[in-house]
Structure formats: C-alpha cells, structure tokens
Amino acid sequence: MLRLIATCLFCFIAAAAPAQDRAPNDSTVLTNPAVSGLEDILRRQQALKTADGAERATQIGDPAVASPETDQLGTLGGASDADLWRAYRFNAADIYTQSRGPASTTLIQDSGMWWLAVREGPLATYGAWLLVGTIGLLALFYLLRGRVRIDGEKTGRTITRFKSFERFGHWLLAGSFVVLGITGLISLFGRKVMIPLFGHDSFSILAIASKWVHNNISWAFMIALVLIFFMWVLENIPNRLDLKWIAVGGGLFKKGVHPPAKKFNAGQKVIFWSVIVLGTSISVSGLALLFPFELPMFGKTFGVLNATGLPELMGLGVLPTQLTPHAEMQFSQLWHAIMGFVLMAIILAHIYIGSVGMEGAFDAMGSGEVEEQWAREHHSLWVDEVKAKETSTAAATPAE
Amino acid sequence: MKPMLIAFVVAGLIAFGADYGLDYAGFTSQERTAGAAVRLD
C-alpha cells in the first residue's frame, strides 16, 4: 500500500514539475529581477550577453526589488553573485584590497579574454607559419641555387674582416638572441606542443627554467645591441651603392655577378637595421614585461597614432587610449612576440647565408680572417680601402 | 673562435648578475606587487 502511495506521489510531482519550470514571459524576466527560476536566470544572462558594457554596468543589484535572502535563489542584500561580479568588473563596488601596485585597482579585466584568444590563436598560428615558411623558402633557395661558391681562384691569402671585439659583440648578441628565441617559443607553444609530448611535470621544470633564462639573458642581448650599434652604425648608413647591389639581388641569384660593396653590403645593412629597430622594440616591450605595470606606453602610442588618422584609414577605428594596467601588459606581450617572430625570420636568413648558404662567409665571424678572393667578390670596395690603408701605412714607415 | 666562446660565457655571467642584482635591489614582481599582509611565506 505504501509503495502504491509513493508511486502516485512520484507521478504527481513529475507531472507538476514542467509547470514549475515554465518561464515567465520576457518582459517579466527583464523588468523584474525578483522573479527567480533557472529559466529566468538563463534568459536574463542571455539578454545581458547581448547588451553592451554600459548597460551591463547598471545590472549590479538593487535591494529595493530583491528577493528575500530566505527565498530559494534569493539574493544577498539585493545583489546576486552575478550582480556582485558585475559590480567588481565595472568598478562600481566598494572594494578594499591589501594588494599594492597599480594593477590592484582592476579586479576584472574583460579584454583579457581577447588577448588570450589572440595569443593562443592568430599569434601562435601565423608566427609558426612565418618561421616554417622562412625555413621552407631557404631550403628551396638552397635546392635551386646551391651554395654560393667563391667564383674566382682562391689566393691563399687572408684579410682581417672583423677584429676580436667586433666578433665578441656579434656573438654576445647572436648567442643571447638564439637562447631568447628558443625560450620564447617554449613559453608560447609549450602548452600546445610540449605538454602533450613530455607531460605536465617535465614541462613545468622546463617552463620555469625557460622563464628564468629568458628574463635574465635579455640583459646580455640589450647590452650587445648597444655595443653593435656604436660599433657598426657609421658603416651601415645607406648610400647609392646599395641601390646597385639591390638591383642585381646582391649577385645571390646568378653565378659570376658581384656588385661592388664597402664593408657592409645592402643585404647586411638590412639585417643590421632590422636588428637595431626590431631589437630595440623587442627590448622596450620586454622591459615593460620584466617590470610589470611600470612602463605603460601603448595608451600614449595609440593616442599619437590616432592623431595621424592612420588607424581609421586602415579600418581599425579609433584606438583606445585609456588602457588598464593589464591591457598595457597584454599589448606589450603581443608586440614583443610579433616583433620577435619577424626578427627570428630575418635572422634565420642571416644564419643561412652566413653558414651553409655561402662559402667562406662563416670565417668572417669565426676566425675573423677571410679569403682575399671572397672579400674581392663580396666587398670589393672595402678590400680596396684596406689595401690602400696598408700601402699608406707602409709608405709612412721608414725602411730600416 | 675564442671571442665567440667568451661571448657565450659572458652572456651567462650577465644573466646571473642580472638576476642577483635585480633581486638585491628589490626589483622582483613579488616585492613590487604583493603586500606583506598577504604573503604566505
């Protein structure tokens, strides 16, 4: 008998349930927050999702229309959890924190999700394709052109191309940049690529080590950047000879073509200025990341860009100039990575032509002494200058 | 090749020096952005 009564009771409750779940009409939902029910909450959330930020900012609870706390799904003093979080987000809540620093004033930052999506999506995807594409193009160039050989007969004599200190500066920059590139790629792709391969525990150790190395070896890169700038800037100022060099592609695409060049040809000048400009940009954005919230620069930069009218011309609209400290950091990270990818692609080409791509090129930065014939083919005017200097020095020295 | 090897060693020394120097000067993100009241260590 008891079982029969229980069965009837269950059927009654089951039949009544849909009536309880039935949602009130839309106008009731949107105008009376006191109406509570799952459907009601979901509908209200949907409506809020489509509203703009300004409208959402007003949805922070109102004790006058609140359900009593004792009710099911009743609000706490007129504001539900969602209302409270919206109040935090739109800085409408009276919040105190023991945290110090400029970032403590922003508890929730909406645009953080945009940054995350860009970092995980287009930045990683296009960045990877840029590097893979560059390596592919270099491999194709090698297959089609082969190694750029010394065309003339080797003399057996060498000429000093770079002094020890110049090579030290180059390798300080090159070594630190290679390490920065690798550790930067680990930071960006580790979660997607390395965790599936090595697991969380192993990657954790690698990620911590990468971060330490990346943060600290960056100083070697910045010091070397200043060093090579002052060492080589005068010889890298563009001149009319560079146009001739560019016109024949530096002789890279055809055997027996050797355009005249001084110490640095147009291709090397492109590498030099890319390293200086992009390296400086990477360094400055890196410093902003090294010292969180201390070097905000994107708000001001966007203001300057807006004044030029370029962003609107490019269909980007007016760029935001009032950025939260977190947004500043996020733009720094994106810029740092984009510039890093571009410089890595350029440096891949530099490494190629300085090693397997050209016979005798590595000696310039290896021993510092290059085959005289190599020097005549790639830097003929520089060889003339060196020889003229040697002759004048010999003439000025009285015979014993 | 000696300048290359020296440069690599110097890069490592600069890295350790930077880590020690910045830590000594109080330029760690922990020092700059966390209050003593919420420190767990």
Side-chain angles (χ1 to χ4, degrees):
Chain A
M1 187 62 184
L2 275 175
R3 192 172 291 172
L4 182 66
I5 293 169
T7 307
C8 291
L9 199 60
F10 175 77
C11 291
F12 174 75
I13 291 168
Q20 277 186 343
D21 289 346
R22 197 165 53 238
N25 62 49
D26 284 350
S27 61
T28 311
V29 170
L30 294 174
T31 55
N32 184 5
V35 176
S36 296
L38 184 59
E39 284 288 323
D40 171 21
I41 292 167
L42 289 174
R43 276 170 182 270
R44 192 146 58 108
Q45 284 180 345
Q46 285 303 117
L48 289 173
K49 274 181 186 174
T50 58
D52 64 11
E55 197 169 326
R56 289 169 70 205
T58 63
Q59 305 284 333
I60 55 174
D62 182 358
V65 294
S67 297
E69 286 183 42
T70 49
D71 276 10
Q72 188 182 19
L73 298 175
T75 53
L76 298 173
S80 68
D81 279 357
D83 294 332
L84 284 172
W85 285 113
R86 267 192 294 278
Y88 296 155
R89 171 171 281 137
F90 294 105
N91 294 323
D94 194 17
I95 304 293
Y96 293 90
T97 175
Q98 289 175 303
S99 295
R100 289 183 279 129
S104 61
T105 55
T106 308
L107 292 179
I108 299 175
Q109 187 235 347
D110 286 352
S111 61
M113 294 312 293
W114 171 84
W115 164 74
L116 187 65
V118 172
R119 184 183 184 274
E120 304 271 296
L123 179 68
T125 308
Y126 294 133
W129 276 115
L130 178 65
L131 297 187
V132 171
T134 304
I135 292 168
L137 281 175
L138 292 171
L140 185 69
F141 180 76
Y142 183 76
L143 288 173
L144 294 175
R145 173 68 170 89
R147 195 172 202 207
V148 178
R149 299 277 178 192
I150 298 173
D151 285 331
E153 197 167 328
K154 291 180 186 173
T155 62
R157 294 187 300 274
T158 59
I159 184 167
T160 304
R161 176 99 174 108
F162 292 112
K163 292 173 187 163
S164 295
F165 189 69
E166 289 177 290
R167 283 180 283 144
F168 167 80
H170 171 269
W171 288 117
L172 186 64
L173 190 73
S176 56
F177 183 72
V178 168
V179 174
L180 286 166
I182 292 168
T183 50
L185 291 174
I186 289 172
S187 299
L188 186 61
F189 293 107
R191 189 176 291 273
K192 271 186 183 172
V193 178
M194 302 191 85
I195 287 178
L197 287 175
F198 305 118
H200 286 84
D201 293 344
S202 301
F203 178 70
S204 170
I205 296 165
L206 187 64
I208 291 166
S210 285
K211 182 179 174 292
W212 187 93
V213 169
H214 196 90
N215 285 355
N216 291 299
I217 215 162
S218 60
W219 296 100
F221 176 80
M222 288 186 273
I223 290 168
L225 195 65
V226 175
L227 207 62
I228 66 140
F229 175 77
F230 286 110
M231 247 170 12
W232 291 333
V233 65
L234 291 177
E235 287 150 326
N236 277 285
I237 294 170
N239 56 41
R240 275 186 297 179
L241 271 175
D242 298 327
L243 296 175
K244 287 182 184 172
W245 191 93
I246 292 167
V248 293
L252 292 172
F253 300 95
K254 201 173 177 184
K255 286 179 184 174
V257 177
H258 302 294
K262 293 193 173 185
K263 183 163 184 175
F264 295 106
N265 59 39
Q268 289 167 319
K269 286 178 184 178
V270 168
I271 299 285
F272 176 81
W273 287 111
S274 299
V275 168
I276 295 299
V277 174
L278 299 180
T280 303
S281 193
I282 291 169
S283 300
V284 172
S285 54
L287 285 170
L289 296 171
L290 269 177
F291 301 99
F293 313 117
E294 299 288 343
L295 296 168
M297 62 187 92
F298 277 88
K300 283 180 186 170
T301 307
F302 288 166
V304 173
L305 286 173
N306 286 337
T308 65
L310 274 175
E312 284 192 275
L313 206 66
M314 293 167 70
L316 297 171
V318 179
L319 299 175
T321 53
Q322 297 292 321
L323 298 172
T324 62
H326 302 77
E328 284 280 354
M329 293 289 289
Q330 288 151 4
F331 277 115
S332 291
Q333 188 278 326
L334 293 179
W335 187 252
H336 190 72
I338 292 167
M339 293 297 103
F341 272 124
V342 174
L343 191 54
M344 273 189 273
I346 292 168
I347 293 302
L348 280 173
H350 175 63
I351 291 171
Y352 167 78
I353 206 70
S355 55
V356 293
M358 181 183 282
E359 183 185 9
F362 185 78
D363 292 334
M365 277 302 165
S367 63
E369 300 289 323
V370 292
E371 164 63 38
E372 197 174 303
Q373 182 59 27
W374 177 91
R376 287 205 177 280
E377 289 180 6
H378 300 291
H379 301 277
S380 55
L381 299 176
W382 171 71
V383 175
D384 292 343
E385 282 174 9
V386 172
K387 293 288 178 190
K389 204 178 282 181
E390 281 175 2
T391 308
S392 64
T393 309
T397 309
E400 293 281 334
Chain B
M1 297 298 274
K2 207 187 282 181
M4 182 173 80
L5 297 174
I6 292 171
F8 293 163
V9 172
V10 168
L13 290 175
I14 290 172
F16 280 104
D19 183 50
Y20 177 79
L22 289 171
D23 201 32
Y24 185 76
F27 278 106
T28 62
S29 57
Q30 190 182 39
E31 291 287 341
R32 305 288 287 178
T33 59
V38 293
R39 188 75 50 77
L40 296 177
D41 55 12

